[in-house]
Amino acid sequence: MTPVEPPAAAATSVRVWDLPVRLFHWALVALLGFSWWSGDHHDMDWHRLSGYTILALVVFRIYWGVVGSRTARFAQFVRGPRAALAYLGRLGRRPYEAADGHNPIGGWSVVLLLATLVVMVTAGLFSVDVDGLESGPLADYVSFDVGRTAAGVHHFVFNVLLALVALHVLAILFYLVALRHDLISPMLHGRRKAGEVPVAERLGASPWKAAIGIVIAGGLAYAVSKGFHL
C-alpha cells in the first residue's frame, strides 16, 4: 500500500512590500533627518546633496507607483472618499482586518507625503539665501525675489512635512497599541503573518523595471543638480 504524503505546510507569512518600496521608505527617513541636521548646521553642500537624493527617491517612487509591484501602485491603494470613510467605520471592529498593502487612509497619506516632498524639493531648487551666496541649482532661472520666496516656501513646507511625519508616527503607535497590528516589521522584511491580510496574487516586482526607474530618477536628479547645464 502506497503511503499517503502529508499535505504541504501552509504558508506562515505572505509578502506585502517589495524591496524598492522598503528601501524608499527607510532611505527617506534617513535623508529627511540628515537634511534637517545639515540645514541647521548650514552645511549647504551636504544639504543640497541630500536634497538631490530625495528628489531621485521621489521620482523613483512616482514611477514605481505606476509600473511597480501590486501593493506599490497608486491604482491599488488610492481610493475615493467613500472607501476611506468605510475603512474608518471598520476600525472599531475586532479583530482588526489588515489591508493588502496600504489601507485607504494610509494610501492618501502616501499621496500627501509625496506631494509635500515635491513642493519642498522644488522650492529648494529655486531658493536663494538672503545674501544671494547660497542658491539652489535652478535659481538662475528666476529673479532674486522669487528665489527668496522659494526659500521661505522651502522652510515652511519642511515644517509641514515634520508635522506629517509626527502624525505618521502617532498612527503607527495607534495601530500597534490599540489595534495590536504591527506596521513596522513588514516594512523591514516585507512580510506579514498569513491570515492578517487577504490572500492575493504575487507582488510582481520586476527587477528590470526597477533598474530603469533608478536610471531615470538618478539621471533627472543629476541634470537638476547641474541646473540642466550638461
Side-chain angles (χ1 to χ4, degrees):
M1 184 175 180
T2 305
V4 178
E5 295 183 0
T12 58
S13 64
V14 294
R15 290 189 64 202
V16 289
W17 301 120
D18 61 46
L19 182 60
V21 166
R22 287 179 280 139
L23 289 178
F24 165 82
H25 182 277
W26 295 114
L28 184 61
V29 170
L31 285 167
L32 287 177
F34 184 75
S35 292
W36 192 359
W37 176 87
S38 57
D40 278 353
H41 287 76
H42 305 288
D43 193 336
M44 299 313 296
D45 288 338
W46 282 111
H47 189 73
R48 280 191 290 267
L49 181 59
S50 180
Y52 301 147
T53 310
I54 291 175
L55 171 62
L57 284 176
V58 171
V59 171
F60 177 84
R61 185 62 184 91
I62 294 173
Y63 163 87
W64 200 240
V66 177
V67 304
S69 65
R70 184 187 74 252
T71 54
R73 297 191 182 195
F74 299 123
Q76 193 266 355
F77 61 78
V78 178
R79 306 291 181 84
R82 183 177 299 177
L85 291 174
Y87 172 77
L88 288 175
R90 296 195 302 269
L91 274 181
R93 298 179 185 174
R94 297 293 183 274
Y96 170 71
E97 297 178 5
D100 175 31
H102 291 296
N103 61 60
I105 299 298
W108 280 109
S109 70
V110 171
V111 173
L112 181 59
L113 174 64
L114 289 174
T116 305
L117 285 168
V118 168
V119 174
M120 183 190 72
V121 172
T122 302
L125 297 175
F126 290 94
S127 65
V128 180
D129 74 346
V130 68
D131 298 320
L133 300 176
E134 295 289 353
S135 304
L138 304 184
D140 290 343
Y141 294 94
V142 298
S143 67
F144 177 80
D145 288 341
V146 172
R148 289 299 300 143
T149 299
V153 171
H154 180 69
H155 179 74
F156 173 77
V157 175
F158 182 73
N159 288 329
V160 172
L161 187 62
L162 291 180
L164 292 177
V165 170
L167 286 175
H168 183 67
V169 172
L170 289 175
I172 290 173
L173 292 176
F174 169 77
Y175 276 83
L176 184 62
V177 176
L179 302 181
R180 306 296 183 186
H181 184 66
D182 180 14
L183 294 174
I184 300 175
S185 296
M187 194 55 71
L188 289 170
H189 49 63
R191 308 186 74 89
R192 284 188 185 145
K193 293 180 181 179
E196 287 187 352
V197 294
V199 177
E201 68 273 16
R202 56 191 292 270
L203 285 182
S206 168
W208 292 108
K209 290 181 180 179
I212 292 172
I214 291 172
V215 171
I216 292 172
L220 179 60
Y222 178 78
V224 168
S225 73
K226 299 299 181 181
F228 295 108
H229 301 303
L230 302 177

